[in-house]
Amino acid sequence: MFHHVKELQFDARVSKPDPRFAALLLEQFGGGNGELKAAMQYFVQAFAARQPFPDKYDLLMDIATEEFSHLEIVGATITMLLDGVNGELKNAAEANPITKLNGKSAKENLIHEALVNPQFLTLTGGGPALTNSQGVPWTGAYVNANGDLTVDLRSDIAAESRAKIVYEYLLQFTDDPHVQDTLRFLMTREVAHFQMFSAALETIQPNFPPGVLQGDPRFTHEYFNMSNGADTRGPWNEGQGPWAEGEQWEYIEDPIKHVIDTMGEANHKPSGTSRSQKDVQRLDKEMSKQRSEEIKSMLPKGENQWSSYPQNDAPRPKSK
């Protein structure tokens, strides 16, 4: 059950109208990395987590709801940045209401926005639209929800990273101190959410590789040198890297020769790891059983009910 509180989570303010920046800020209202995308992504992901992982459901719903709060902050800021536009557009009896805007700069800004993004003003009349800064409509295709928490939480960490950097870029395009305060608040909450999702992922063990099935040991440790010229080496292609002790990367210096020699990898033997195909099959079975039992143990037998009234239980992550 949602309950709207009229006070904003952060006191959104602007010093003066700025139609150009209002158009840029649409990126965080209806864009692919914006607040609505985040809210809907976490909201949708939460359904699959509700009964098997009620603690993660609580996390996802809390952050989704906060993202809706952020959407309201962004929408309010856009509306205030367009202050005066709606009133002038409502003056339909005048031949050219835009001429009543104060100052040459304000008129030129509005004309510019009407030319590069006509729908922003002609359809919304001075309010935010569910589009990005280029007028492309918001779409559910922005939402990533795979039904596996180790996958979804990684998608969420990436989403918060992208949203954070967009706010960082937006800060370069406004000198309004009030708007900058709002953007810094929103940017910082992306950092906080990043940490929350990272911490939640760590409570799911093991969580690599994502999902249930293990990788084929013949191919997991291979790094293919797929470019000519000077080569670079680092922990992503040499030494132990992220692998367990005793394991290491297998650097394929000449991919063409390697593919020919191994008959298209069909005859390639595992290298860099002691894990065998039998080990993988055993781990696949163990992980499949573990994940299946985790979910089944949390689901009721027979009749099912989404909520209890009142709902007082506050589940915590299971200790491993």
Side-chain angles (χ1 to χ4, degrees):
M1 181 173 66
F2 287 89
H3 175 78
H4 181 252
V5 177
K6 296 179 178 63
E7 293 85 2
L8 292 180
Q9 183 186 15
F10 185 87
D11 185 18
R13 297 172 295 163
V14 304
S15 299
K16 60 185 182 301
D18 187 349
R20 287 190 178 186
F21 189 72
L24 286 178
L25 194 52
L26 278 176
E27 200 62 44
Q28 292 300 80
F29 194 78
N33 298 303
E35 302 294 352
L36 180 61
K37 172 260 170 64
M40 291 305 300
Q41 178 159 308
Y42 311 152
F43 185 74
V44 171
Q45 289 174 354
F47 285 97
R50 172 66 181 90
Q51 291 184 309
F53 305 104
D55 54 333
K56 308 305 187 300
Y57 170 84
D58 192 49
L59 168 74
L60 288 165
M61 277 298 189
D62 279 347
I63 300 181
T65 304
E66 184 178 353
E67 300 290 13
F68 281 121
S69 299
H70 295 174
L71 182 71
E72 187 175 13
I73 292 170
V74 173
T77 303
I78 290 171
T79 303
M80 290 187 290
L81 288 170
L82 293 172
D83 184 38
V85 172
N86 188 275
E88 293 296 341
L89 290 174
K90 291 296 187 289
N91 191 0
E94 296 291 334
N96 191 8
I98 195 175
T99 60
K100 292 184 176 292
L101 288 176
N102 294 326
K104 181 180 178 181
S105 176
K107 297 173 189 175
E108 289 179 348
N109 283 349
L110 194 59
I111 291 171
H112 171 78
E113 291 308 323
L115 289 174
V116 299
N117 191 0
Q119 288 190 332
F120 184 36
L121 294 178
T122 58
L123 292 186
T124 66
L130 277 180
T131 72
N132 67 10
S133 58
Q134 299 300 306
V136 178
W138 190 89
T139 169
Y142 293 151
V143 173
N144 295 302
N146 295 95
D148 184 289
L149 275 174
T150 65
V151 177
D152 284 345
L153 289 171
R154 285 184 168 91
S155 292
D156 300 342
I157 291 168
E160 296 295 330
S161 301
R162 290 191 295 268
K164 190 268 183 183
I165 203 66
V166 173
Y167 279 122
E168 194 170 315
Y169 293 153
L170 283 169
L171 278 163
Q172 310 301 314
F173 291 92
T174 179
D175 57 4
D176 187 322
H178 295 321
V179 175
Q180 288 180 340
D181 279 348
T182 299
L183 297 184
R184 275 191 290 267
F185 167 77
L186 294 168
M187 181 190 74
T188 304
R189 292 307 297 163
E190 309 296 354
V191 177
H193 293 165
F194 177 105
Q195 297 285 49
M196 295 172 198
F197 288 132
S198 297
L201 180 61
E202 284 304 307
T203 67
I204 304 172
Q205 294 295 335
N207 65 44
F208 186 86
V212 173
L213 300 180
Q214 306 296 301
D216 190 317
R218 293 176 296 171
F219 316 127
T220 52
H221 290 53
E222 288 181 308
Y223 180 93
F224 289 90
N225 178 30
M226 301 294 271
S227 56
N228 63 356
D231 299 322
T232 59
R233 304 296 295 271
W236 55 87
N237 64 13
E238 71 175 351
Q240 180 177 330
W243 305 111
E245 186 175 350
E247 300 185 47
Q248 61 184 5
W249 286 110
E250 177 189 8
Y251 189 80
I252 310 298
E253 178 70 48
D254 188 341
I256 296 176
K257 182 178 183 302
H258 175 81
V259 168
I260 292 172
D261 290 346
T262 61
M263 299 297 290
E265 293 273 41
N267 296 332
H268 182 54
K269 305 298 182 184
S271 180
T273 177
S274 59
R275 184 176 292 187
S276 67
Q277 295 277 29
K278 288 184 177 179
D279 293 331
V280 167
Q281 292 172 0
R282 175 180 54 80
L283 287 169
D284 284 347
K285 291 179 180 179
E286 290 177 0
M287 278 295 296
S288 296
K289 183 178 180 181
Q290 177 182 327
R291 290 287 186 256
S292 178
E293 288 180 350
E294 285 175 351
I295 294 175
K296 289 179 179 178
S297 66
M298 298 297 290
L299 299 180
K301 301 292 189 294
E303 185 177 304
N304 200 349
Q305 182 172 317
W306 194 257
S307 299
S308 58
Y309 300 87
Q311 193 154 310
N312 296 319
D313 293 337
R316 298 182 62 81
K318 293 180 179 179
S319 58
K320 297 294 182 181

